[in-house]
Amino acid sequence: MSSFDDRRRGFEAKFAHDNDLEFRAKVRRNRMLAIWAAKLIERDPEAYTKEILAADLEMRSDKPVFAKLAADLEGKVGHVEILQVMVDTHCKAKSQVMAKG
C-alpha cells in the first residue's frame, strides 16, 4: 500500500506543478497581449495590462480576454489575427515559464 500512496502523492504533486506552470504562462501571455494591444491603440501598457488581467479573472477563460481585445482593437485588427497572436504569445510564454522552471 505504501508504494501506491507514494505514487498517488507523486501524481498529485505533478498535477499541482503543471497547473502552476500553466497559470503562470497564462498570466505572462496576457501581459504580452496587453503590451501588443496597447501599442496598437496607443494606451499606457501598464494600465492596459491591468484591464486585461481583470478580464481574465472574470471567468478564468480566454473568452473575456478575447472579447476585450476584439472590442478595443475594432477596426485595427481582425479576430483571426487576435486569435493568432493569442496562440503565439501563449507558446512563447509557456516556453519562457518552462525555461525558468
Side-chain angles (χ1 to χ4, degrees):
M1 221 28 139
S2 176
S3 65
F4 179 75
D5 290 337
D6 291 342
R7 196 166 173 209
R8 180 182 52 84
R9 280 191 289 271
F11 280 121
E12 289 172 354
K14 182 181 179 345
F15 181 78
H17 178 72
D18 289 349
N19 279 343
D20 179 58
L21 289 177
E22 189 60 35
F23 174 78
R24 291 189 305 167
K26 190 172 180 184
V27 169
R28 185 177 292 247
R29 180 212 62 189
N30 288 343
R31 288 176 191 222
M32 290 168 31
L33 280 171
I35 291 167
W36 168 75
K39 288 178 186 175
L40 293 174
I41 58 175
E42 299 175 359
R43 299 262 315 266
D44 175 45
E46 288 183 36
Y48 195 69
T49 297
K50 290 178 184 177
E51 292 179 32
I52 293 294
L53 293 175
D56 182 45
L57 291 176
E58 285 178 19
M59 291 179 35
R60 294 264 183 207
S61 167
D62 291 341
K63 289 179 184 178
V65 172
F66 174 78
K68 171 100 176 107
L69 289 168
D72 292 346
L73 295 170
E74 186 72 34
K76 294 187 182 267
V77 178
H79 291 182
V80 173
E81 186 176 348
I82 294 170
L83 289 172
Q84 186 61 51
V85 172
M86 288 179 77
V87 169
D88 292 345
T89 54
H90 186 77
C91 290
K92 287 178 190 174
K94 197 166 190 175
S95 295
Q96 292 172 357
V97 167
M98 296 295 280
K100 281 189 172 183

